Amino acid sequence: MPQKKLKSWLPTPEQILQSKTLKLFAPHLADPRLWHFNRHSLNKAVYIGVLCAFFPLPGQMPLALIGALMFRANVPMALALTWITNPFTTLPVFYAAYYVGALILDAPMISLRMIARMIADFSTWVFSDGANPFITYQGSFSLAAFCLGLVILATITSIICGIAFKILWRYKVVTTWQQRHGYRPKNSKATKSTKATRNTTNPER
């Protein structure tokens, strides 16, 4: 069943509660529905996790956890999917978001190198005493275009991933049931060859 593989891939409750931030939500995680590995719970977690992954915040995982609590979605799945945006994917995702938003709002386009420099300056501003990047890049960067692009990409990607997960889950369940019961399609080559053998053996039929 799909549940067994997913359980081996996703974080355990113990691993989740090791985070100091997520540990604050421990009193709210007693509901067993938050840990169910059924299609409905996991499907909701896909929508929530992918959507939260696109928000450029240090608190993506707490945001996904709050969403899982609100909609009673699978917590490990929602948290794991926030890692869609990671140090390797953040730059292309942010650039694509700004590109989409700039096209819609007719804002000034910027290069991929400039996005990388802005991310570095933003990190310096958050974790140290660097200059405010919103002032530094004022006039050459549209924050409205960036936010709009992120919302559009997040919404479209979460819907696509949610639908794809539902289809793949259904396909896996059906194929597993067929394998367990030895089901073969009626029009398969094996069935046709079996019928041909029977007709050869019993020509009078």
Side-chain angles (χ1 to χ4, degrees), residues 7 17 19 21 54 71 73 81 86 101 147 176 187:
K7 285 182 180 180
L17 294 177
S19 170
T21 305
F54 281 81
F71 295 97
L81 287 173
N86 53 64
C147 293
T176 301
N187 296 327

Side-chain angles (χ1 to χ4, degrees), residues 5-154:
K5 289 185 178 180
L6 282 175
K7 285 182 180 180
S8 64
W9 294 339
L10 298 178
T12 63
E14 293 76 16
Q15 292 172 331
I16 291 172
L17 294 177
Q18 285 178 357
S19 170
K20 293 182 180 180
T21 305
L22 299 181
K23 199 172 184 178
L24 299 174
F25 297 89
H28 305 284
L29 298 176
D31 190 339
R33 289 177 294 177
L34 300 173
W35 309 96
H36 281 174
F37 278 83
N38 56 54
R39 179 172 62 86
H40 297 291
S41 178
L42 290 168
N43 201 204
K44 287 187 289 186
V46 171
Y47 288 111
I48 294 169
V50 175
L51 188 67
C52 294
F54 281 81
F55 288 93
L57 300 171
Q60 289 175 327
M61 295 181 71
L63 193 63
L65 181 55
I66 292 173
L69 289 171
M70 291 176 60
F71 295 97
R72 291 298 181 263
N74 182 270
V75 169
M77 185 71 149
L79 296 179
L81 287 173
T82 61
W83 284 95
I84 290 175
T85 49
N86 53 64
F88 300 101
T89 62
T90 297
L91 182 58
V93 167
F94 283 5
Y95 181 75
Y98 185 85
Y99 185 83
V100 170
L103 283 178
I104 295 174
L105 298 181
D106 196 23
M109 291 292 181
I110 58 177
S111 65
L112 190 63
R113 182 178 297 179
M114 185 174 177
I115 284 283
R117 189 165 64 247
M118 289 183 62
I119 293 174
D121 290 345
F122 182 78
S123 300
T124 303
W125 177 61
V126 170
F127 297 107
S128 62
D129 297 326
N132 190 332
F134 297 110
I135 297 176
T136 305
Y137 297 98
Q138 190 173 8
S140 59
F141 173 80
S142 173
L143 182 61
F146 178 62
C147 293
L148 177 62
L150 276 179
V151 171
I152 292 173
L153 285 186

Side-chain angles (χ1 to χ4, degrees), residues 1-2 167-183:
M1 291 294 290
I167 294 172
L168 289 173
W169 181 277
R170 177 63 180 172
Y171 171 78
K172 182 62 178 177
V173 169
V174 171
T175 53
T176 301
W177 183 91
Q178 290 175 347
Q179 291 173 1
R180 183 178 298 174
H181 293 81
Y183 172 80

